[in-house]
Amino acid sequence: MFQGVVKRLCFAPNSSVSLYVRHFCKKSHRKLRISEAISSSSSSQLGVNITVQGWLRSVRPQKANIFLHVNDGSSLQSLQVVAGAELNNPLLTFGSAVEVSGVLKKSPHKTQPVELEADVIRVLGECNPVDFPFKIKKRHGLEYIRQFPHLRCRTNVFSSLLRIRSEATSAIHSYFKDNDFVQIHTPIITSNDCEGAGELFQVEPSSAHDGHFFSVPTFLTVSGQLHLEAMAGAFSKVYTFGPTFRAENSQSRRHLAEFYMVEAEISFTQSIEDLTKVMEDMFRSATEHVLAHCVEDVDLFHRHVTPGHRETVDGMLKKCFPVITYSEAVDILNRSSEQFAFPSDWGCDLKTEHEKYLVKHCGNVPVFVTDYPYDLKPFYARDNQDHPQHTAAAVDLLVPGVGELCGGSLREERLSVLRARLEELGLEDVNSWYLDLRRFGSVPHGGFGLGFERYLQCILGVDNIKDVIPFPRFSHSCVL
Ligand code: 4AD
């Protein structure tokens, strides 16, 4: 295979390619990712011929030498390349794609452990620095780079965000795996409106079709909960983690039309504490994992994007999350001297301003609010029939800077109570299969959903949800 590569390349007309081949035939190069090269300072890679590929993050020509920084997305750090001035080339510009071969050496500079002494530099993809929207040495703000969703992954800050997002995703899956949850792939296309809020995107083929494609109206899912509940009739712990869609006509900093939700459902539970324990444990375990495994990436946010936020995150992890009832929350709001834009009387939904106030009031740590008015919650929430005020066994987790991060509840497992509720709401036909779950081996159960983008906002301190998802979708915007 190696010979095949050389042969193919030897026919290439491009002079830099033939130079590369001559060199390649002479010495054998190990291809390394930048993160591997950087962490080679004490290993056997030093003094070895290597090849790296990536994009130029800086270019510094000097009289005798040229200094480059090459980054391939494997780490925030770039690899410094030192080459003789004869290897300089006008196409070596900020943003261009290169392949560099040379010898990996210990760096004389304290700021980097190693550098690559280049003997071949190939420009694989040119980048015109005048047209390229990001400029060398400039720290562009999140709002600026948001204008270029197809290019912003080339910036340090957004590539850090994407690595953190990837690591947090793995950490959440690990949490559930370690705690014996079974992952369920719930459908994206569904015929039900789980939340009953009418915020649905309808799904139909783009070409003309007689009637509905699926014979019934279908939608992009607003939540995998009902499908998880079906599975919770056979598995005591299930979860799903996937895209979720809401046709909310909102331009807010915490709403998207497409976002990722982590949802869990647990059978044989009659207590909200069983749910809050999973929410809190998952939050802690994912956050500790991200802080330990993405040290430089998180640090970039906490130093340059949201200075001071690290203390908030450490504060969140130090204490147990307090639990208050909705009625206590209303008392706190009504006793405060704060001027709220929205009413906070018993029976009113808590708005973001209320949620943020409650978090501050509780010491700027995540806080659970339980037992909301029954009428504020969807049809599936369990009726707290023994409470003096008509409440549902529902719980939200409110977090610093964001407000609501998780929403969950015990589910109404009693057939007669659920049937009456569905009739009251005119939903009995739509959800007849859901009643079957209560007819055949129904058990007390409950679950919750966590908004993954809001979670990232919370741990990184990012103000706008559009800055923590690769390609944000919101009303009047679906770029790419
Ligand atoms: O509170 P929600 O609507 O709960 C449910 O959908 C339940 N069926 C979940 C369950 O019990 N399995 O949504 C859960 C979380 C919210 O707390 C919020 O963090 C996030 O999903 N979320 C959004 N995130 C971004 N953009 C939106 N438009 C969001 N709507 C909800």
Side-chain angles (χ1 to χ4, degrees):
M1 185 188 155
F2 175 73
Q3 278 184 344
V5 172
V6 171
K7 213 164 138 193
R8 248 197 338 271
L9 288 173
C10 284
F11 285 114
N14 181 319
S15 63
S16 65
V17 171
S18 50
L19 176 66
Y20 164 78
V21 171
R22 260 188 282 124
H23 180 83
F24 208 77
C25 295
K26 243 177 10 198
K27 297 177 189 171
S28 83
H29 284 74
R30 268 202 69 195
K31 203 187 254 185
L32 286 191
R33 297 177 75 221
I34 301 288
S35 57
E36 291 175 294
I38 287 173
S39 58
S40 307
S41 54
S42 59
S43 81
S44 53
Q45 312 284 9
L46 282 184
V48 168
N49 288 303
I50 66 156
T51 296
V52 295
Q53 295 169 320
W55 293 267
L56 290 184
R57 287 284 163 83
S58 83
V59 182
R60 260 187 312 126
Q62 290 185 355
K63 238 189 193 158
N65 289 319
I66 174 162
F67 293 90
L68 308 171
H69 276 106
V70 184
N71 189 285
D72 65 356
S74 58
S75 88
L76 176 62
Q77 278 190 51
S78 300
L79 176 65
Q80 169 150 295
V81 170
V82 191
E86 72 283 2
L87 290 189
N88 199 356
N89 171 344
L91 297 181
L92 290 175
T93 57
F94 177 63
S96 61
V98 295
E99 181 174 86
V100 185
S101 298
V103 182
L104 196 60
K105 298 219 162 144
K106 208 167 171 34
S107 171
H109 303 286
K110 274 197 194 130
T111 46
Q112 69 223 359
V114 292
E115 61 188 23
L116 181 59
E117 209 176 275
D119 31 44
V120 184
I121 302 173
R122 289 176 69 208
V123 176
L124 304 177
E126 299 172 20
C127 180
N128 180 336
V130 178
D131 297 339
F132 193 49
F134 311 129
K135 302 300 170 202
I136 196 160
K137 287 193 186 149
K138 192 159 163 67
R139 202 183 285 282
H140 297 287
L142 290 175
E143 211 166 319
Y144 174 76
I145 66 170
R146 201 188 301 146
Q147 300 171 81
F148 311 98
H150 56 310
L151 294 174
R152 66 177 170 167
C153 57
R154 315 273 184 104
T155 63
N156 277 342
V157 69
F158 209 70
S159 63
S160 283
L161 180 274
L162 292 172
R163 275 187 298 273
I164 294 168
R165 194 178 157 108
S166 168
E167 202 63 46
T169 304
S170 308
I172 287 169
H173 282 296
S174 297
Y175 169 80
F176 283 117
K177 187 168 165 41
D178 294 346
N179 287 280
D180 302 321
F181 280 76
V182 174
Q183 184 185 1
I184 303 290
H185 292 118
T186 49
I188 303 285
I189 299 177
T190 174
S191 53
N192 67 61
D193 176 6
C194 173
E195 295 307 291
E199 293 164 341
L200 300 164
F201 288 106
Q202 191 145 358
V203 177
E204 291 297 344
S206 59
S207 53
H209 199 273
D210 281 345
H212 295 298
F213 181 87
F214 295 103
S215 299
V216 289
T218 47
F219 315 99
L220 296 177
T221 184
V222 294
S223 161
Q225 176 193 325
L226 302 188
H227 299 97
L228 279 189
E229 281 193 69
M231 296 301 171
F235 301 92
S236 54
K237 290 168 158 193
V238 287
Y239 83 102
T240 191
F241 185 172
T244 310
F245 307 86
R246 306 251 168 125
E248 273 170 298
N249 196 8
S250 167
Q251 294 290 333
S252 92
R253 289 160 184 265
R254 49 174 226 159
H255 288 92
L256 289 167
E258 179 182 72
F259 62 98
Y260 276 70
M261 206 196 314
V262 180
E263 296 183 83
E265 203 67 30
I266 304 157
S267 297
F268 307 105
T269 177
Q270 281 173 307
S271 90
I272 283 277
E273 288 79 58
D274 288 343
L275 304 182
T276 57
K277 179 168 176 10
V278 177
M279 290 188 222
E280 182 165 346
D281 286 353
M282 180 182 63
F283 182 96
R284 281 180 191 285
S285 131
T287 308
E288 280 162 5
H289 179 96
V290 167
L291 294 180
H293 289 83
C294 304
V295 176
E296 292 175 337
D297 292 319
V298 169
D299 201 48
L300 182 136
F301 274 87
H302 290 165
R303 266 177 203 274
H304 300 295
V305 183
T306 51
H309 193 69
R310 179 59 192 246
E311 287 87 79
T312 306
V313 176
D314 288 340
M316 287 192 236
L317 296 175
K318 258 190 213 129
K319 294 191 197 136
C320 290
F321 300 173
V323 184
I324 57 173
T325 62
Y326 167 88
S327 299
E328 286 165 343
V330 165
D331 280 348
I332 292 168
L333 295 172
N334 290 342
R335 271 189 276 116
S336 93
S337 53
E338 194 93 353
Q339 292 294 311
F340 295 115
F342 291 92
S344 55
D345 305 324
W346 203 97
C348 294
D349 211 355
L350 298 181
K351 301 285 186 197
T352 310
E353 56 174 355
H354 303 134
E355 293 170 348
K356 287 187 173 171
Y357 181 86
L358 291 168
V359 167
K360 282 250 160 65
H361 178 88
C362 294
N364 214 27
V365 293
V367 50
F368 290 110
V369 179
T370 67
D371 304 300
Y372 281 76
Y374 188 65
D375 290 336
L376 288 183
K377 291 294 168 186
F379 66 89
Y380 52 70
R382 195 174 198 277
D383 191 343
N384 274 330
Q385 284 170 327
D386 50 343
H387 282 208
Q389 281 161 312
H390 197 186
T391 59
V395 54
D396 282 0
L397 176 61
L398 315 181
V399 296
V402 173
E404 184 194 328
L405 173 67
C406 300
S409 71
L410 296 180
R411 317 307 189 192
E412 187 54 77
E413 86 286 5
R414 297 161 294 187
L415 179 62
S416 57
V417 182
L418 180 62
R419 189 178 269 144
R421 179 69 168 153
L422 287 173
E423 269 170 28
E424 188 190 341
L425 298 170
L427 295 171
E428 64 275 39
D429 293 337
V430 187
N431 289 300
S432 62
W433 67 268
Y434 190 68
L435 288 171
D436 274 356
L437 305 181
R438 276 51 178 178
R439 289 171 61 216
F440 309 122
S442 180
V443 296
H445 65 287
F448 68 89
L450 169 144
F452 184 55
E453 285 72 26
R454 291 191 189 178
Y455 168 73
L456 293 173
Q457 284 187 276
C458 167
I459 61 167
L460 298 176
V462 173
D463 186 41
N464 196 320
I465 196 166
K466 300 175 185 81
D467 297 329
V468 293
I469 187 164
F471 299 104
R473 272 86 180 87
F474 49 98
S475 61
H476 306 297
S477 176
C478 187
V479 187
L480 277 83

